[in-house]
Amino acid sequence: MRKIIVLVLILFVACKQENTTLTAQQIIDKTIIASGADKVTNAQIDFGFRDKEYAAVRNNGLFKLFRNFEDEKLGMVSDVISNNGFERTVNGHPLKVPDSMAVKYTSSVNSVHYFSVLPYGLNDKAVRKKLLPEVEIKSKQYYKVEVSFSEEGGGEDFEDVFIYWIHKTSFKIDYLAYSFHVNGGGKRFREATNERIVNGIRFVDYNNYKAKNASTKLIHLDKAFVNNALIKLSEINLKSVQVELLD
């Protein structure tokens, strides 16, 4: 009788553990809430990055993403991506841009805005999520989630693949890696730094790395990081972040 009771308890605990295992979707949902990224949907966000100024206005599905900078030859350039597509103005006057260049500029502007508000965007329709085995980095436990994109709605870079390392307790993204195909392609690993909360939304900077061995697989970049097998390329720092929440 005692053996039967013990067996029942073991089965109960096993079932309970199985039922509490989170899916990739559940982890991303918790990550978005933990980072305040749900507030990005209705907000105006301004920041500086390198020698350019960026702004994003999102409001109930409508959006405008801005990039403003001074060009030595042209003057003040403003790039805008919205629900209506891409537009460029120079010194306040519309400039017709060839389609090939419009695609290039759109990708460049989108990329900066995309990284600035992660994990916002990880529940878009084109996003596909896959849960990978959990790992330990610097004595901390992480969920590991792979994100890829469907061709429909995935944009020009739909073939890119991302991996996110999400802290098991805080549900914040501490590391990410991605593969890309533009400019010859490659892989990068980023370490989040300088966390700050602005009007309820988490923002971070990044140390940006590549593998010393170019053949290192994307999925193994965390091991390369732990084993000091990465080369630091740059720092991705957002300056003067401001957030206005919209009704």
Side-chain angles (χ1 to χ4, degrees), residues 8-72:
V8 170
L9 287 173
I10 292 172
L11 291 174
F12 174 77
V13 171
C15 290
K16 188 173 182 180
Q17 288 178 340
E18 183 177 348
N19 290 336
T20 56
T21 299
L22 298 177
T23 66
Q25 181 62 61
Q26 290 171 328
I27 292 168
I28 293 300
D29 288 343
K30 288 178 175 291
T31 300
I32 288 173
I33 296 300
S35 300
D38 54 313
K39 299 178 176 65
V40 175
T41 304
N42 292 294
Q44 176 173 333
I45 299 173
D46 299 85
F47 61 90
F49 177 60
R50 294 178 177 161
D51 60 344
K52 298 177 176 63
E53 298 297 323
Y54 292 79
V57 180
R58 302 177 180 90
N59 196 353
N60 295 316
L62 299 177
F63 69 92
K64 283 189 176 182
L65 308 179
F66 299 86
R67 178 179 67 178
N68 302 312
F69 61 96
E70 184 79 27
D71 184 274
E72 291 183 359

Side-chain angles (χ1 to χ4, degrees), residues 1-10:
M1 183 68 179
R2 182 178 179 182
K3 290 183 179 179
I4 295 176
I5 293 174
V6 171
L7 180 60
V8 170
L9 287 173
I10 292 172

Side-chain angles (χ1 to χ4, degrees), residues 128-142:
R128 299 180 296 202
K129 309 173 186 74
K130 178 182 177 182
L131 186 61
L132 303 176
E134 298 173 11
V135 298
E136 180 179 304
I137 301 177
K138 294 185 176 181
S139 300
K140 296 180 181 179
Q141 300 299 316
Y142 288 92

Side-chain angles (χ1 to χ4, degrees), residues 215-228:
S215 65
T216 303
K217 294 183 179 179
L218 183 71
I219 198 171
H220 294 151
L221 286 180
D222 51 354
K223 294 180 181 178
F225 175 71
V226 170
N227 294 326
N228 296 315

Side-chain angles (χ1 to χ4, degrees), residues 84-100:
N84 298 320
F86 175 82
E87 295 179 357
R88 167 169 282 197
T89 60
V90 176
N91 299 318
H93 302 289
L95 179 68
K96 185 172 178 57
V97 177
D99 290 344
S100 60

Side-chain angles (χ1 to χ4, degrees), residues 62-182:
L62 299 177
F63 69 92
K64 283 189 176 182
L65 308 179
F66 299 86
R67 178 179 67 178
N68 302 312
F69 61 96
E70 184 79 27
D71 184 274
E72 291 183 359
K73 296 180 179 179
L74 298 176
M76 181 56 66
V77 178
S78 179
D79 293 330
V80 183
I81 303 170
S82 70
N83 302 80
N84 298 320
F86 175 82
E87 295 179 357
R88 167 169 282 197
T89 60
V90 176
N91 299 318
H93 302 289
L95 179 68
K96 185 172 178 57
V97 177
D99 290 344
S100 60
M101 295 306 296
V103 170
K104 180 180 178 180
Y105 296 149
T106 297
S107 177
S108 178
V109 175
N110 262 329
S111 177
V112 174
H113 281 287
Y114 179 84
F115 283 109
S116 73
V117 290
L118 281 171
Y120 177 79
L122 296 187
N123 270 340
D124 289 351
K125 291 182 180 180
V127 173
R128 299 180 296 202
K129 309 173 186 74
K130 178 182 177 182
L131 186 61
L132 303 176
E134 298 173 11
V135 298
E136 180 179 304
I137 301 177
K138 294 185 176 181
S139 300
K140 296 180 181 179
Q141 300 299 316
Y142 288 92
Y143 294 113
K144 190 173 178 179
V145 178
E146 179 185 280
V147 165
S148 58
F149 306 89
S150 60
E151 184 171 0
E152 183 178 356
E156 293 291 328
D157 302 321
F158 73 91
E159 294 179 303
D160 293 354
V161 177
F162 287 73
I163 295 178
Y164 297 94
W165 287 264
I166 300 167
H167 192 279
K168 289 192 66 176
T169 302
S170 70
F171 284 94
K172 295 177 181 178
I173 296 172
D174 286 346
Y175 307 94
L176 66 90
Y178 61 98
S179 61
F180 59 96
H181 296 82
V182 298

